[in-house]
Amino acid sequence: MEYRIVPITEELIPGYRMAFDKVAKESRFLDYLEAPPPPEAVGEFVLSIQNNNLQFVALDDQTVVGWCAITAKAKAIYSHAGVLGMGIVEGYRGRGVGTALIRTTLDAARLRGLKRIELQVRENSLSAMALFEKVGFVKEGVMRKHAFVDGVYENSLLMALLFEST
Ligand SMILES: CC(C)(COP(=O)(O)OP(=O)(O)OC[C@H]1O[C@@H](n2cnc3c(N)ncnc32)[C@H](O)[C@@H]1OP(=O)(O)O)[C@@H](O)C(=O)NCCC(=O)NCCS
Protein backbone atom coordinates (compact mmCIF):
# COMPACT_ATOMS: atom_id res chain seq x y z
CA MET A 1 0.00 0.00 0.00
CA GLU A 2 1.25 3.47 -0.93
CA TYR A 3 0.71 6.13 1.68
CA ARG A 4 2.06 9.55 2.51
CA ILE A 5 2.58 11.16 5.90
CA VAL A 6 1.90 14.90 5.74
CA PRO A 7 1.34 17.70 8.25
CA ILE A 8 -2.33 18.51 8.80
CA THR A 9 -3.70 21.42 6.78
CA GLU A 10 -7.10 23.05 6.89
CA GLU A 11 -8.37 21.28 3.77
CA LEU A 12 -7.61 17.89 5.40
CA ILE A 13 -9.74 18.64 8.47
CA PRO A 14 -12.97 17.00 7.16
CA GLY A 15 -11.07 13.84 6.18
CA TYR A 16 -9.36 13.76 9.54
CA ARG A 17 -12.69 14.12 11.31
CA MET A 18 -14.11 11.20 9.33
CA ALA A 19 -11.12 8.99 10.19
CA PHE A 20 -11.35 9.98 13.86
CA ASP A 21 -15.08 9.26 13.88
CA LYS A 22 -14.55 5.75 12.49
CA VAL A 23 -11.97 4.83 15.14
CA ALA A 24 -13.97 6.53 17.93
CA LYS A 25 -17.09 4.53 17.00
CA GLU A 26 -15.22 1.28 17.60
CA SER A 27 -15.51 2.34 21.30
CA ARG A 28 -12.42 0.40 22.31
CA PHE A 29 -9.59 2.80 21.80
CA LEU A 30 -10.18 6.53 22.15
CA ASP A 31 -11.65 8.74 24.83
CA TYR A 32 -14.42 9.74 22.43
CA LEU A 33 -17.26 7.49 21.21
CA GLU A 34 -17.67 9.63 18.11
CA ALA A 35 -15.89 12.60 16.63
CA PRO A 36 -16.62 15.85 18.44
CA PRO A 37 -18.85 18.29 16.57
CA PRO A 38 -17.08 20.24 13.84
CA PRO A 39 -16.47 23.49 15.78
CA GLU A 40 -14.52 21.64 18.46
CA ALA A 41 -12.65 19.54 15.90
CA VAL A 42 -11.81 22.56 13.80
CA GLY A 43 -10.72 24.47 16.90
CA GLU A 44 -8.31 21.70 17.86
CA PHE A 45 -6.82 21.67 14.43
CA VAL A 46 -6.42 25.38 14.09
CA LEU A 47 -4.64 25.28 17.43
CA SER A 48 -2.53 22.40 16.24
CA ILE A 49 -1.69 24.12 12.97
CA GLN A 50 -0.64 27.22 14.89
CA ASN A 51 1.32 24.94 17.19
CA ASN A 52 4.07 24.23 14.64
CA ASN A 53 2.17 21.40 13.00
CA LEU A 54 2.75 18.70 15.58
CA GLN A 55 -0.10 16.92 13.89
CA PHE A 56 0.33 14.61 10.97
CA VAL A 57 -2.04 12.50 8.93
CA ALA A 58 -1.53 9.43 6.73
CA LEU A 59 -3.04 9.73 3.26
CA ASP A 60 -4.00 6.89 0.93
CA ASP A 61 -4.23 9.00 -2.21
CA GLN A 62 -6.44 11.85 -0.90
CA THR A 63 -8.12 9.88 1.91
CA VAL A 64 -7.07 10.38 5.53
CA VAL A 65 -6.49 6.91 7.00
CA GLY A 66 -4.72 7.83 10.24
CA TRP A 67 -3.48 10.66 12.41
CA CYS A 68 -0.97 11.36 15.14
CA ALA A 69 -0.84 14.55 17.19
CA ILE A 70 1.19 15.85 20.09
CA THR A 71 -0.40 18.68 22.03
CA ALA A 72 2.08 20.75 24.01
CA LYS A 73 1.02 21.38 27.60
CA ALA A 74 0.10 24.97 28.34
CA LYS A 75 1.12 25.42 31.97
CA ALA A 76 4.64 26.78 32.50
CA ILE A 77 5.94 23.93 34.67
CA TYR A 78 4.79 21.36 32.11
CA SER A 79 5.85 23.28 29.03
CA HIS A 80 8.58 20.74 28.23
CA ALA A 81 5.90 18.05 27.81
CA GLY A 82 3.29 17.06 25.25
CA VAL A 83 0.42 14.58 25.06
CA LEU A 84 0.23 12.16 22.14
CA GLY A 85 -2.90 10.72 20.54
CA MET A 86 -3.23 8.67 17.36
CA GLY A 87 -5.36 6.23 15.42
CA ILE A 88 -5.37 4.26 12.20
CA VAL A 89 -8.61 3.42 10.39
CA GLU A 90 -9.50 -0.28 10.47
CA GLY A 91 -8.38 -1.93 7.26
CA TYR A 92 -5.14 0.08 7.22
CA ARG A 93 -3.71 -1.33 10.45
CA GLY A 94 -0.75 -3.66 10.69
CA ARG A 95 0.94 -2.27 7.58
CA GLY A 96 3.45 0.11 9.11
CA VAL A 97 1.35 3.27 8.85
CA GLY A 98 1.20 3.78 12.63
CA THR A 99 4.95 3.35 12.97
CA ALA A 100 5.64 5.90 10.22
CA LEU A 101 3.14 8.37 11.68
CA ILE A 102 4.38 8.20 15.26
CA ARG A 103 8.05 8.42 14.26
CA THR A 104 7.37 11.50 12.11
CA THR A 105 5.42 13.18 14.91
CA LEU A 106 8.00 12.34 17.58
CA ASP A 107 10.79 13.69 15.37
CA ALA A 108 8.85 16.95 15.02
CA ALA A 109 8.35 17.14 18.78
CA ARG A 110 12.03 16.57 19.46
CA LEU A 111 13.00 19.27 16.96
CA ARG A 112 10.50 21.57 18.60
CA GLY A 113 12.38 21.10 21.90
CA LEU A 114 9.89 19.00 23.83
CA LYS A 115 11.53 16.66 26.35
CA ARG A 116 8.71 14.42 27.56
CA ILE A 117 5.85 12.90 25.58
CA GLU A 118 3.09 11.16 27.48
CA LEU A 119 -0.09 9.32 26.60
CA GLN A 120 -2.88 7.27 28.05
CA VAL A 121 -3.75 3.94 26.48
CA ARG A 122 -6.57 1.60 27.41
CA GLU A 123 -5.29 -1.58 28.98
CA ASN A 124 -6.79 -3.83 26.30
CA SER A 125 -5.14 -1.96 23.40
CA LEU A 126 -2.31 -4.44 23.11
CA SER A 127 -1.14 -3.50 19.62
CA ALA A 128 -1.06 0.18 20.57
CA MET A 129 1.03 -0.62 23.65
CA ALA A 130 3.39 -2.72 21.53
CA LEU A 131 3.81 0.18 19.10
CA PHE A 132 4.45 2.68 21.89
CA GLU A 133 7.05 0.43 23.53
CA LYS A 134 8.71 -0.15 20.18
CA VAL A 135 9.35 3.59 19.76
CA GLY A 136 10.59 4.10 23.33
CA PHE A 137 7.63 4.70 25.61
CA VAL A 138 7.67 3.06 29.05
CA LYS A 139 4.78 2.33 31.38
CA GLU A 140 4.63 4.73 34.31
CA GLY A 141 1.44 3.73 36.03
CA VAL A 142 -2.02 2.24 35.97
CA MET A 143 -5.10 4.46 35.97
CA ARG A 144 -7.65 2.18 37.59
CA LYS A 145 -11.22 2.15 36.25
CA HIS A 146 -10.17 5.01 34.02
CA ALA A 147 -12.73 4.33 31.26
CA PHE A 148 -16.38 3.31 31.54
CA VAL A 149 -17.89 2.06 28.29
CA ASP A 150 -21.10 0.07 27.84
CA GLY A 151 -21.31 -0.57 31.56
CA VAL A 152 -17.77 -1.90 31.85
CA TYR A 153 -14.80 -0.27 33.56
CA GLU A 154 -11.38 -0.47 32.00
CA ASN A 155 -7.98 0.48 33.33
CA SER A 156 -5.68 2.70 31.30
CA LEU A 157 -1.92 2.90 31.38
CA LEU A 158 0.04 6.10 31.57
CA MET A 159 3.08 5.82 29.31
CA ALA A 160 5.82 8.32 28.60
CA LEU A 161 8.95 8.77 26.55
CA LEU A 162 11.88 11.01 27.57
CA PHE A 163 13.93 12.13 24.60
CA GLU A 164 17.20 12.28 26.58
CA SER A 165 17.08 8.57 27.30
CA THR A 166 16.24 7.37 23.79
C1 LIG B 1 -2.36 1.05 17.51
C2 LIG B 1 -2.26 1.55 16.08
C3 LIG B 1 -2.13 3.07 16.10
C4 LIG B 1 -1.00 0.95 15.42
O1 LIG B 1 -0.92 1.39 14.09
P1 LIG B 1 -0.61 0.34 12.93
O2 LIG B 1 -0.47 1.06 11.65
O3 LIG B 1 -1.60 -0.76 12.99
O4 LIG B 1 0.81 -0.20 13.42
P2 LIG B 1 2.02 -0.76 12.57
O5 LIG B 1 1.54 -1.58 11.44
O6 LIG B 1 2.96 0.35 12.26
O7 LIG B 1 2.67 -1.70 13.67
C5 LIG B 1 3.34 -1.11 14.75
C6 LIG B 1 3.54 -2.08 15.87
O8 LIG B 1 2.31 -2.31 16.52
C7 LIG B 1 2.30 -3.64 16.99
N1 LIG B 1 1.19 -4.30 16.32
C8 LIG B 1 0.58 -3.98 15.18
N2 LIG B 1 -0.43 -4.83 14.92
C9 LIG B 1 -0.44 -5.71 15.96
C10 LIG B 1 -1.25 -6.82 16.30
N3 LIG B 1 -2.27 -7.21 15.52
N4 LIG B 1 -1.00 -7.45 17.47
C11 LIG B 1 0.03 -7.06 18.27
N5 LIG B 1 0.83 -6.01 17.97
C12 LIG B 1 0.59 -5.37 16.83
C13 LIG B 1 3.64 -4.24 16.65
O9 LIG B 1 4.53 -3.97 17.71
C14 LIG B 1 4.05 -3.43 15.47
O10 LIG B 1 5.42 -3.35 15.27
P3 LIG B 1 6.18 -4.46 14.35
O11 LIG B 1 5.42 -4.56 13.08
O12 LIG B 1 7.55 -3.90 14.18
O13 LIG B 1 6.13 -5.72 15.16
C15 LIG B 1 -3.49 1.13 15.25
O14 LIG B 1 -3.58 -0.27 15.25
C16 LIG B 1 -4.78 1.73 15.76
O15 LIG B 1 -5.13 2.82 15.38
N6 LIG B 1 -5.52 1.04 16.64
C17 LIG B 1 -6.78 1.54 17.13
C18 LIG B 1 -6.69 2.90 17.81
C19 LIG B 1 -5.71 2.94 18.94
O16 LIG B 1 -5.50 1.98 19.64
N7 LIG B 1 -5.12 4.13 19.13
C20 LIG B 1 -4.20 4.36 20.19
C21 LIG B 1 -4.95 5.03 21.30
S1 LIG B 1 -3.82 5.55 22.53
Side-chain angles (χ1 to χ4, degrees), residues 83-129:
V83 180
L84 183 141
M86 71 180 300
I88 307 293
V89 171
E90 196 174 20
Y92 289 89
R93 295 175 189 156
R95 304 193 211 176
V97 182
T99 302
L101 256 176
I102 197 169
R103 288 202 195 284
T104 300
T105 313
L106 289 173
D107 285 349
R110 187 199 297 262
L111 280 175
R112 165 100 187 278
L114 291 180
K115 304 296 181 202
R116 172 186 163 88
I117 308 300
E118 60 190 48
L119 58 84
Q120 294 168 10
V121 57
R122 293 190 14 209
E123 199 172 53
N124 294 329
S125 297
L126 298 181
S127 47
M129 264 182 258

Short mmCIF file of all heavy atoms in Angstrom, two decimals, residues 83-129:
data_model
loop_
_atom_site.label_atom_id
_atom_site.label_comp_id
_atom_site.label_asym_id
_atom_site.label_seq_id
_atom_site.Cartn_x
_atom_site.Cartn_y
_atom_site.Cartn_z
N VAL A 83 1.29 15.76 24.95
CA VAL A 83 0.42 14.58 25.06
C VAL A 83 0.13 14.05 23.67
O VAL A 83 -0.29 14.81 22.79
CB VAL A 83 -0.90 14.94 25.78
CG1 VAL A 83 -1.79 13.71 25.89
CG2 VAL A 83 -0.61 15.53 27.15
N LEU A 84 0.38 12.76 23.47
CA LEU A 84 0.23 12.16 22.14
C LEU A 84 -1.09 11.39 22.03
O LEU A 84 -1.50 10.68 22.95
CB LEU A 84 1.40 11.21 21.89
CG LEU A 84 1.45 10.55 20.51
CD1 LEU A 84 2.89 10.47 20.00
CD2 LEU A 84 0.80 9.17 20.48
N GLY A 85 -1.73 11.53 20.88
CA GLY A 85 -2.90 10.72 20.54
C GLY A 85 -2.80 10.30 19.08
O GLY A 85 -2.23 11.04 18.26
N MET A 86 -3.31 9.12 18.75
CA MET A 86 -3.23 8.67 17.36
C MET A 86 -4.28 7.61 17.06
O MET A 86 -4.88 7.05 17.99
CB MET A 86 -1.83 8.13 17.03
CG MET A 86 -1.52 6.80 17.68
SD MET A 86 0.16 6.21 17.27
CE MET A 86 0.10 6.08 15.49
N GLY A 87 -4.47 7.32 15.82
CA GLY A 87 -5.36 6.23 15.42
C GLY A 87 -5.17 5.94 13.94
O GLY A 87 -4.80 6.83 13.15
N ILE A 88 -5.41 4.69 13.60
CA ILE A 88 -5.37 4.26 12.20
C ILE A 88 -6.72 3.62 11.91
O ILE A 88 -7.22 2.81 12.71
CB ILE A 88 -4.26 3.20 11.96
CG1 ILE A 88 -2.90 3.70 12.46
CG2 ILE A 88 -4.18 2.79 10.50
CD1 ILE A 88 -2.32 4.86 11.72
N VAL A 89 -7.30 3.96 10.77
CA VAL A 89 -8.61 3.42 10.39
C VAL A 89 -8.49 1.91 10.16
O VAL A 89 -7.50 1.44 9.57
CB VAL A 89 -9.12 4.14 9.12
CG1 VAL A 89 -10.37 3.47 8.57
CG2 VAL A 89 -9.38 5.62 9.42
N GLU A 90 -9.50 1.17 10.66
CA GLU A 90 -9.50 -0.28 10.47
C GLU A 90 -9.39 -0.60 8.98
O GLU A 90 -10.00 0.06 8.15
CB GLU A 90 -10.80 -0.86 11.04
CG GLU A 90 -10.74 -2.34 11.25
CD GLU A 90 -11.99 -2.87 11.94
OE1 GLU A 90 -13.02 -2.18 11.92
OE2 GLU A 90 -11.91 -3.98 12.48
N GLY A 91 -8.61 -1.60 8.67
CA GLY A 91 -8.38 -1.93 7.26
C GLY A 91 -7.02 -1.42 6.80
O GLY A 91 -6.47 -1.90 5.82
N TYR A 92 -6.48 -0.45 7.54
CA TYR A 92 -5.14 0.08 7.22
C TYR A 92 -4.14 -0.26 8.31
O TYR A 92 -3.00 0.19 8.28
CB TYR A 92 -5.22 1.60 7.04
CG TYR A 92 -5.94 2.00 5.76
CD1 TYR A 92 -7.32 2.19 5.76
CD2 TYR A 92 -5.24 2.16 4.57
CE1 TYR A 92 -7.99 2.54 4.59
CE2 TYR A 92 -5.89 2.51 3.40
CZ TYR A 92 -7.27 2.69 3.42
OH TYR A 92 -7.91 3.03 2.26
N ARG A 93 -4.59 -1.02 9.32
CA ARG A 93 -3.71 -1.33 10.45
C ARG A 93 -2.76 -2.48 10.10
O ARG A 93 -3.06 -3.29 9.22
CB ARG A 93 -4.54 -1.70 11.69
CG ARG A 93 -5.35 -0.52 12.16
CD ARG A 93 -6.29 -0.86 13.31
NE ARG A 93 -7.17 0.28 13.55
CZ ARG A 93 -8.36 0.21 14.12
NH1 ARG A 93 -8.83 -0.94 14.55
NH2 ARG A 93 -9.08 1.31 14.27
N GLY A 94 -1.67 -2.55 10.85
CA GLY A 94 -0.75 -3.66 10.69
C GLY A 94 0.08 -3.60 9.42
O GLY A 94 0.65 -4.59 8.98
N ARG A 95 0.17 -2.40 8.82
CA ARG A 95 0.94 -2.27 7.58
C ARG A 95 2.04 -1.23 7.69
O ARG A 95 2.52 -0.72 6.69
CB ARG A 95 0.00 -1.85 6.44
CG ARG A 95 -1.17 -2.77 6.23
CD ARG A 95 -1.79 -2.41 4.90
NE ARG A 95 -3.21 -2.64 4.88
CZ ARG A 95 -3.98 -2.33 3.84
NH1 ARG A 95 -3.45 -1.75 2.80
NH2 ARG A 95 -5.26 -2.58 3.88
N GLY A 96 2.35 -0.83 8.92
CA GLY A 96 3.45 0.11 9.11
C GLY A 96 3.06 1.57 9.13
O GLY A 96 3.89 2.44 9.32
N VAL A 97 1.77 1.86 8.91
CA VAL A 97 1.35 3.27 8.85
C VAL A 97 1.51 3.93 10.22
O VAL A 97 2.02 5.06 10.34
CB VAL A 97 -0.12 3.40 8.38
CG1 VAL A 97 -0.53 4.86 8.28
CG2 VAL A 97 -0.32 2.70 7.04
N GLY A 98 1.09 3.22 11.28
CA GLY A 98 1.20 3.78 12.63
C GLY A 98 2.64 4.07 13.01
O GLY A 98 2.95 5.12 13.58
N THR A 99 3.53 3.15 12.66
CA THR A 99 4.95 3.35 12.97
C THR A 99 5.47 4.60 12.26
O THR A 99 6.15 5.44 12.87
CB THR A 99 5.78 2.12 12.53
OG1 THR A 99 5.25 0.97 13.21
CG2 THR A 99 7.24 2.28 12.88
N ALA A 100 5.16 4.73 10.98
CA ALA A 100 5.64 5.90 10.22
C ALA A 100 5.07 7.20 10.79
O ALA A 100 5.77 8.19 10.94
CB ALA A 100 5.25 5.74 8.74
N LEU A 101 3.79 7.16 11.15
CA LEU A 101 3.14 8.37 11.68
C LEU A 101 3.75 8.79 13.02
O LEU A 101 4.05 9.97 13.25
CB LEU A 101 1.66 8.08 11.91
CG LEU A 101 0.65 8.62 10.93
CD1 LEU A 101 -0.73 8.14 11.30
CD2 LEU A 101 0.68 10.14 10.83
N ILE A 102 3.91 7.83 13.93
CA ILE A 102 4.38 8.20 15.26
C ILE A 102 5.85 8.64 15.19
O ILE A 102 6.24 9.61 15.86
CB ILE A 102 4.15 7.07 16.29
CG1 ILE A 102 4.25 7.63 17.71
CG2 ILE A 102 5.09 5.90 16.12
CD1 ILE A 102 3.79 6.67 18.80
N ARG A 103 6.64 8.00 14.36
CA ARG A 103 8.05 8.42 14.26
C ARG A 103 8.15 9.83 13.70
O ARG A 103 8.93 10.65 14.19
CB ARG A 103 8.83 7.44 13.38
CG ARG A 103 9.08 6.09 14.03
CD ARG A 103 10.29 5.38 13.38
NE ARG A 103 10.37 3.98 13.71
CZ ARG A 103 10.79 3.48 14.87
NH1 ARG A 103 11.15 4.32 15.83
NH2 ARG A 103 10.84 2.18 15.08
N THR A 104 7.35 10.14 12.70
CA THR A 104 7.37 11.50 12.11
C THR A 104 6.97 12.53 13.16
O THR A 104 7.59 13.59 13.30
CB THR A 104 6.39 11.56 10.91
OG1 THR A 104 6.81 10.62 9.94
CG2 THR A 104 6.35 12.95 10.30
N THR A 105 5.93 12.22 13.92
CA THR A 105 5.42 13.18 14.91
C THR A 105 6.40 13.34 16.07
O THR A 105 6.63 14.46 16.55
CB THR A 105 4.03 12.72 15.41
OG1 THR A 105 3.23 12.36 14.27
CG2 THR A 105 3.33 13.83 16.17
N LEU A 106 7.01 12.25 16.51
CA LEU A 106 8.00 12.34 17.58
C LEU A 106 9.23 13.12 17.13
O LEU A 106 9.77 13.94 17.89
CB LEU A 106 8.41 10.94 18.05
CG LEU A 106 7.35 10.16 18.85
CD1 LEU A 106 7.82 8.73 19.09
CD2 LEU A 106 7.03 10.86 20.17
N ASP A 107 9.65 12.92 15.89
CA ASP A 107 10.79 13.69 15.37
C ASP A 107 10.48 15.18 15.41
O ASP A 107 11.33 16.00 15.78
CB ASP A 107 11.13 13.27 13.93
CG ASP A 107 11.84 11.92 13.88
OD1 ASP A 107 12.27 11.43 14.95
OD2 ASP A 107 11.96 11.38 12.77
N ALA A 108 9.25 15.53 15.01
CA ALA A 108 8.85 16.95 15.02
C ALA A 108 8.85 17.49 16.44
O ALA A 108 9.26 18.64 16.68
CB ALA A 108 7.48 17.10 14.36
N ALA A 109 8.41 16.69 17.39
CA ALA A 109 8.35 17.14 18.78
C ALA A 109 9.75 17.34 19.34
O ALA A 109 10.02 18.30 20.07
CB ALA A 109 7.59 16.12 19.63
N ARG A 110 10.64 16.45 18.98
CA ARG A 110 12.03 16.57 19.46
C ARG A 110 12.67 17.85 18.89
O ARG A 110 13.30 18.62 19.61
CB ARG A 110 12.82 15.34 19.00
CG ARG A 110 14.23 15.26 19.58
CD ARG A 110 15.08 14.33 18.74
NE ARG A 110 14.59 12.98 18.74
CZ ARG A 110 15.08 12.00 19.51
NH1 ARG A 110 16.04 12.27 20.35
NH2 ARG A 110 14.59 10.79 19.44
N LEU A 111 12.45 18.06 17.58
CA LEU A 111 13.00 19.27 16.96
C LEU A 111 12.42 20.54 17.59
O LEU A 111 13.08 21.55 17.71
CB LEU A 111 12.67 19.29 15.45
CG LEU A 111 13.57 18.44 14.58
CD1 LEU A 111 13.06 18.45 13.14
CD2 LEU A 111 15.01 18.97 14.63
N ARG A 112 11.19 20.44 17.97
CA ARG A 112 10.50 21.57 18.60
C ARG A 112 11.04 21.85 20.01
O ARG A 112 10.79 22.88 20.59
CB ARG A 112 9.01 21.21 18.63
CG ARG A 112 8.14 22.00 19.49
CD ARG A 112 7.38 23.04 18.68
NE ARG A 112 6.67 23.87 19.64
CZ ARG A 112 5.54 23.54 20.18
NH1 ARG A 112 4.94 22.42 19.81
NH2 ARG A 112 4.98 24.31 21.07
N GLY A 113 11.78 20.88 20.59
CA GLY A 113 12.38 21.10 21.90
C GLY A 113 11.64 20.44 23.05
O GLY A 113 12.02 20.61 24.20
N LEU A 114 10.58 19.70 22.75
CA LEU A 114 9.89 19.00 23.83
C LEU A 114 10.80 17.91 24.40
O LEU A 114 11.64 17.34 23.68
CB LEU A 114 8.58 18.39 23.33
CG LEU A 114 7.49 19.40 22.96
CD1 LEU A 114 6.24 18.68 22.47
CD2 LEU A 114 7.15 20.31 24.12
N LYS A 115 10.66 17.64 25.70
CA LYS A 115 11.53 16.66 26.35
C LYS A 115 10.79 15.41 26.79
O LYS A 115 11.40 14.36 27.01
CB LYS A 115 12.17 17.29 27.61
CG LYS A 115 12.93 18.56 27.34
CD LYS A 115 14.12 18.31 26.45
CE LYS A 115 14.90 19.59 26.20
NZ LYS A 115 15.72 19.52 24.99
N ARG A 116 9.49 15.55 27.03
CA ARG A 116 8.71 14.42 27.56
C ARG A 116 7.41 14.33 26.77
O ARG A 116 6.70 15.33 26.60
CB ARG A 116 8.39 14.68 29.03
CG ARG A 116 7.42 13.68 29.64
CD ARG A 116 7.04 14.09 31.07
NE ARG A 116 5.83 13.39 31.49
CZ ARG A 116 5.82 12.19 32.08
NH1 ARG A 116 6.95 11.58 32.37
NH2 ARG A 116 4.68 11.61 32.41
N ILE A 117 7.11 13.12 26.28
CA ILE A 117 5.85 12.90 25.58
C ILE A 117 5.09 11.84 26.37
O ILE A 117 5.65 10.78 26.68
CB ILE A 117 6.07 12.38 24.14
CG1 ILE A 117 7.05 13.30 23.37
CG2 ILE A 117 4.74 12.26 23.41
CD1 ILE A 117 6.60 14.73 23.21
N GLU A 118 3.86 12.13 26.71
CA GLU A 118 3.09 11.16 27.48
C GLU A 118 1.79 10.82 26.77
O GLU A 118 1.35 11.53 25.86
CB GLU A 118 2.83 11.69 28.90
CG GLU A 118 2.07 12.98 28.96
CD GLU A 118 2.06 13.58 30.37
OE1 GLU A 118 3.12 13.66 31.00
OE2 GLU A 118 0.96 13.97 30.82
N LEU A 119 1.19 9.73 27.19
CA LEU A 119 -0.09 9.32 26.60
C LEU A 119 -0.81 8.39 27.57
O LEU A 119 -0.20 7.85 28.50
CB LEU A 119 0.14 8.61 25.26
CG LEU A 119 1.02 7.37 25.25
CD1 LEU A 119 0.25 6.11 25.60
CD2 LEU A 119 1.66 7.20 23.89
N GLN A 120 -2.07 8.24 27.32
CA GLN A 120 -2.88 7.27 28.05
C GLN A 120 -3.39 6.25 27.04
O GLN A 120 -3.84 6.62 25.97
CB GLN A 120 -4.09 7.95 28.69
CG GLN A 120 -3.71 8.93 29.77
CD GLN A 120 -4.87 9.80 30.18
OE1 GLN A 120 -6.01 9.58 29.79
NE2 GLN A 120 -4.57 10.81 30.97
N VAL A 121 -3.28 4.98 27.40
CA VAL A 121 -3.75 3.94 26.48
C VAL A 121 -4.57 2.94 27.27
O VAL A 121 -4.20 2.55 28.38
CB VAL A 121 -2.55 3.27 25.75
CG1 VAL A 121 -1.53 2.68 26.72
CG2 VAL A 121 -3.02 2.21 24.78
N ARG A 122 -5.70 2.55 26.70
CA ARG A 122 -6.57 1.60 27.41
C ARG A 122 -5.87 0.25 27.48
O ARG A 122 -5.22 -0.18 26.54
CB ARG A 122 -7.94 1.56 26.75
CG ARG A 122 -8.55 2.92 27.02
CD ARG A 122 -9.94 3.23 26.74
NE ARG A 122 -10.89 2.23 26.47
CZ ARG A 122 -11.96 2.48 25.69
NH1 ARG A 122 -12.12 3.64 25.10
NH2 ARG A 122 -12.86 1.55 25.51
N GLU A 123 -6.06 -0.38 28.65
CA GLU A 123 -5.29 -1.58 28.98
C GLU A 123 -5.44 -2.71 27.96
O GLU A 123 -4.54 -3.53 27.80
CB GLU A 123 -5.75 -2.07 30.36
CG GLU A 123 -4.82 -2.99 31.05
CD GLU A 123 -5.29 -3.24 32.47
OE1 GLU A 123 -6.47 -3.63 32.67
OE2 GLU A 123 -4.51 -3.03 33.38
N ASN A 124 -6.58 -2.74 27.27
CA ASN A 124 -6.79 -3.83 26.30
C ASN A 124 -6.25 -3.51 24.90
O ASN A 124 -6.38 -4.33 24.00
CB ASN A 124 -8.27 -4.17 26.21
CG ASN A 124 -8.77 -4.76 27.52
OD1 ASN A 124 -8.00 -5.42 28.23
ND2 ASN A 124 -10.01 -4.49 27.88
N SER A 125 -5.67 -2.33 24.72
CA SER A 125 -5.14 -1.96 23.40
C SER A 125 -3.72 -2.49 23.26
O SER A 125 -2.74 -1.75 23.30
CB SER A 125 -5.14 -0.44 23.24
OG SER A 125 -6.44 0.08 23.30
N LEU A 126 -3.63 -3.81 23.07
CA LEU A 126 -2.31 -4.44 23.11
C LEU A 126 -1.42 -4.02 21.94
O LEU A 126 -0.21 -3.82 22.12
CB LEU A 126 -2.47 -5.97 23.14
CG LEU A 126 -3.21 -6.49 24.38
CD1 LEU A 126 -3.29 -8.01 24.34
CD2 LEU A 126 -2.54 -6.04 25.68
N SER A 127 -2.01 -3.87 20.74
CA SER A 127 -1.14 -3.50 19.62
C SER A 127 -0.65 -2.07 19.78
O SER A 127 0.49 -1.75 19.43
CB SER A 127 -1.81 -3.73 18.27
OG SER A 127 -3.10 -3.23 18.26
N ALA A 128 -1.51 -1.20 20.34
CA ALA A 128 -1.06 0.18 20.57
C ALA A 128 0.09 0.19 21.57
O ALA A 128 1.12 0.85 21.36
CB ALA A 128 -2.23 1.03 21.08
N MET A 129 -0.04 -0.58 22.65
CA MET A 129 1.03 -0.62 23.65
C MET A 129 2.32 -1.15 23.03
O MET A 129 3.40 -0.64 23.32
CB MET A 129 0.61 -1.51 24.81
CG MET A 129 0.02 -0.72 25.94
SD MET A 129 -0.36 -1.83 27.27
CE MET A 129 -2.10 -1.98 27.05
#
